[in-house]
Amino acid sequence: MEYGLILEWIIKAVLMLLILLIGFAYTTYLERKVLARMQVRYGPNRAGPKGLLQPVADGVKLIFKEELIPAKADKLLFILAPVITVLPALTILAVVPFGGTVNLFGREITLSIAGDLNVGILYLTAVTSITVYGMVLAGWASNNKYAMMGGIRATAQVISYELALGLAFIGPILLASSMSVNEIVNAQGRMGWFFIYQPIGFIIFLIATLAEINRVPFDMPEAEQELVAGYHTEYSGMKFALFMMTEYIKMIVVAVLAATFFLGGYLGPFVDQVPWLGPVYLFIKVFILVFGIIWVRATWPRFRYDRLMAFGWKIMLPLAVLNVLLTGAFIILFPGVIR
Amino acid sequence: MLLEYLPIAVLLILALLLAGIVIALGHMFGPRHPTERKSMPYESGMRPIGPGTRRMPVHFYLVAVLFILFDIEVMFFLPWAVIYKKLGVFGLVEMLIFIAILGVGYVYVWKMGALEWE
């Protein structure tokens, strides 16, 4: 085993965590600012120039807050639940390539942590579902009936939309004939971005991921008007911050995944000549998608819970199966297009 | 082969460390003055009524069971999708039969009202 390799892994992992943390901080800022502008307000503008230091101020404030643990709560699970929730969000992106291969300090470095993993998509689907455990444990350990209801609702919703999400992954796999995320991006370089071939799949992916990360209009588990704050009602201070971190990091994560599977990932003009452009292109695509998620929040009201579940099971699931069949038929009918 | 997963393990350990630090920060710097009132379960300021963990509607359980069934079916799509171009028309017909069988179960579940929320 080479020490340089281990050092490279550690540096990449630290960089990934730093990027996600900074991304989390400034997604909260972006969301508050964009929502404010859409409602003709200013948004945060006191801490630092244009309010740019607001996320730092929020973080410092949360560190010095009192943390309450309800009297009859399960203490161990209560502390463990936010950790279980945040871990998958931090590790999902390990298999996603952020760019091609760059030459740095005389080493060939691929801009991903484990991009060539041949079961990349299996890893993605497996890791995303772990977050559910954190939610339901948080709800149960709080010993609060609203938290519990929020946790159970979150579980039912996330697993219902996971079916459609899992089927939406099938389209890109069919077109690229591989479960490796790297290979899927390369295939998009050969035959064009997959959202051209997968318009239904792309829309299903966007809707299902919105439900998966509990964002508006699918934020039923945290419906403020009826469930206080859902599964993290009893959480305060830094544990609350961990839940918020999960929510916003997952926003970034699903944007990265949508960009990677349907919008060509890090690909763009001249990316072959200048590999450093890769992360820039990916950042632009992710920024647009995250902005879209925030826009949706500013625009749409919340779904009613029964309609939400009916929509997931009666429309999304059959549509996703149909999309798989259509893609299969397309590949057989037009073998020349798929390379 | 397993070497490919080592970078993920490194990332996982560092992420765990980060989560631990975040929790520890809150414990170190946050004040702690628990009172009986404060450590009650939050119920919009009222005295909590009944136990915190209570019975849930059986429907949620039903959804979980259905999820397991259909999710396993989705897993069957994955290997099929990887070798689909080699299988060609045969693969499509096979999958049509598979989906037809799956569809019978789906229609049954729908007709029995398992997807309704009343």
Side-chain angles (χ1 to χ4, degrees):
Chain A
M1 185 68 73
E2 195 193 341
Y3 286 113
L5 195 63
I6 298 174
L7 194 66
E8 187 189 318
W9 290 344
I10 293 176
I11 291 173
K12 275 184 191 168
V14 169
L15 267 181
M16 163 85 87
L17 293 178
L18 274 181
I19 291 169
L20 284 178
L21 278 183
I22 295 169
F24 151 62
Y26 281 94
T27 316
T28 60
Y29 172 76
L30 181 77
E31 173 163 45
R32 291 171 69 178
K33 212 64 177 173
V34 169
L35 278 181
R37 281 300 175 188
M38 286 181 177
Q39 296 161 352
V40 205
R41 294 185 284 120
Y42 282 112
N45 64 353
R46 288 280 176 256
K50 301 229 173 237
L52 272 172
L53 292 178
Q54 188 66 39
V56 183
D58 287 341
V60 172
K61 186 194 83 171
L62 280 173
I63 289 178
F64 292 102
K65 281 283 176 185
E66 179 171 7
E67 288 193 359
L68 293 170
I69 300 181
K72 284 182 186 158
D74 189 324
K75 286 217 169 51
L76 178 67
L77 287 182
F78 190 81
I79 295 171
L80 213 56
V83 178
I84 297 175
T85 322
V86 83
L87 275 186
L90 290 171
T91 48
I92 291 171
L93 288 185
V95 294
V96 176
F98 288 86
T101 310
V102 294
N103 206 318
L104 202 65
F105 309 121
R107 288 176 68 98
E108 291 282 308
I109 295 176
T110 49
L111 291 179
S112 72
I113 286 186
D116 278 331
L117 203 63
N118 57 357
V119 287
I121 290 190
L122 215 52
Y123 173 85
L124 288 176
T125 48
V127 174
T128 40
S129 16
I130 295 175
T131 310
V132 175
Y133 288 102
M135 289 177 185
V136 75
L137 281 179
W140 187 80
S142 308
N143 193 39
N144 176 323
K145 58 179 87 121
Y146 296 122
M148 168 116 183
M149 273 184 221
I152 301 269
R153 275 186 180 188
T155 317
Q157 171 186 332
V158 168
I159 62 178
S160 297
Y161 280 80
E162 203 154 287
L163 295 172
L165 184 64
L167 285 165
F169 279 127
I170 307 285
I173 302 177
L174 271 173
L175 291 168
S177 282
S178 172
M179 278 201 268
S180 150
V181 184
N182 242 359
E183 182 48 37
I184 287 174
V185 173
N186 290 338
Q188 293 182 71
R190 289 197 301 273
M191 56 177 121
W193 297 358
F194 280 171
F195 84 100
I196 308 167
Y197 307 95
Q198 290 282 310
I200 308 175
F202 184 48
I203 291 167
I204 289 175
F205 189 90
L206 290 182
I207 297 175
T209 46
L210 268 187
E212 196 83 351
I213 59 175
N214 299 329
R215 289 285 301 186
V216 179
F218 304 105
D219 64 337
M220 213 58 221
E222 308 169 25
E224 289 90 351
Q225 291 83 354
E226 37 193 289
L227 289 179
V228 192
Y231 54 87
H232 56 68
T233 300
E234 291 290 352
Y235 283 87
S236 47
M238 286 315 266
K239 297 197 196 78
F240 171 76
L242 278 182
F243 279 115
M244 283 295 113
M245 198 156 121
T246 314
E247 189 179 328
Y248 285 91
I249 288 180
K250 284 195 104 174
M251 243 165 94
I252 300 170
V253 164
V254 297
V256 171
L257 293 184
T260 306
F261 288 120
F262 297 99
L263 299 178
Y266 60 84
L267 298 176
F270 306 117
V271 80
D272 290 333
Q273 287 83 34
V274 193
W276 283 112
L277 279 176
V280 177
Y281 286 134
L282 189 64
F283 176 79
I284 294 170
K285 290 167 188 171
V286 167
F287 184 87
I288 293 170
L289 284 166
V290 167
F291 184 83
I293 295 176
I294 296 170
W295 193 353
V296 164
R297 171 167 176 184
T299 312
W300 268 318
R302 188 181 292 133
F303 263 79
R304 222 170 65 191
Y305 194 71
D306 57 334
R307 293 193 181 160
L308 171 97
M309 297 299 279
F311 182 66
W313 282 95
K314 292 181 180 171
I315 298 175
M316 295 285 281
L317 182 59
L319 204 63
V321 173
L322 190 72
N323 178 53
V324 169
L325 284 179
L326 283 179
T327 313
F330 178 84
I331 289 172
I332 287 179
L333 288 177
F334 304 100
V337 185
I338 312 299
R339 289 188 290 275
Chain B
M1 183 58 210
L2 276 176
L3 201 69
E4 287 181 327
Y5 292 88
L6 267 180
I8 298 180
V10 172
L11 178 67
L12 186 67
I13 291 165
L14 286 174
L16 201 64
L17 210 67
L18 175 78
I21 290 172
V22 169
I23 295 249
L25 271 180
H27 274 267
M28 272 158 62
F29 294 106
R32 216 164 303 150
H33 312 287
T35 63
E36 199 191 332
R37 278 285 171 88
K38 263 193 216 170
S39 45
M40 273 180 188
Y42 178 77
E43 233 161 81
S44 311
M46 313 293 283
R47 281 188 182 280
I49 302 164
T53 47
R54 47 180 60 205
R55 291 182 176 187
M56 295 307 300
V58 71
H59 210 118
F60 287 106
Y61 176 75
L62 198 60
V63 166
V65 171
L66 287 179
F67 163 72
I68 292 173
L69 286 177
F70 283 97
D71 206 36
I72 293 170
E73 317 290 359
V74 171
M75 283 301 124
F76 282 130
F77 279 84
L78 287 173
W80 169 80
V82 173
I83 55 162
Y84 179 70
K85 281 179 196 165
K86 286 183 206 131
L87 293 176
V89 180
F90 172 72
L92 187 63
V93 174
E94 284 280 90
M95 194 38 79
L96 275 175
I97 296 170
F98 179 74
I99 288 175
I101 297 170
L102 188 66
V104 174
Y106 180 70
V107 169
Y108 175 75
V109 166
W110 190 327
K111 287 286 167 224
M112 292 304 278
L115 306 181
E116 310 296 330
W117 289 76
E118 288 303 324

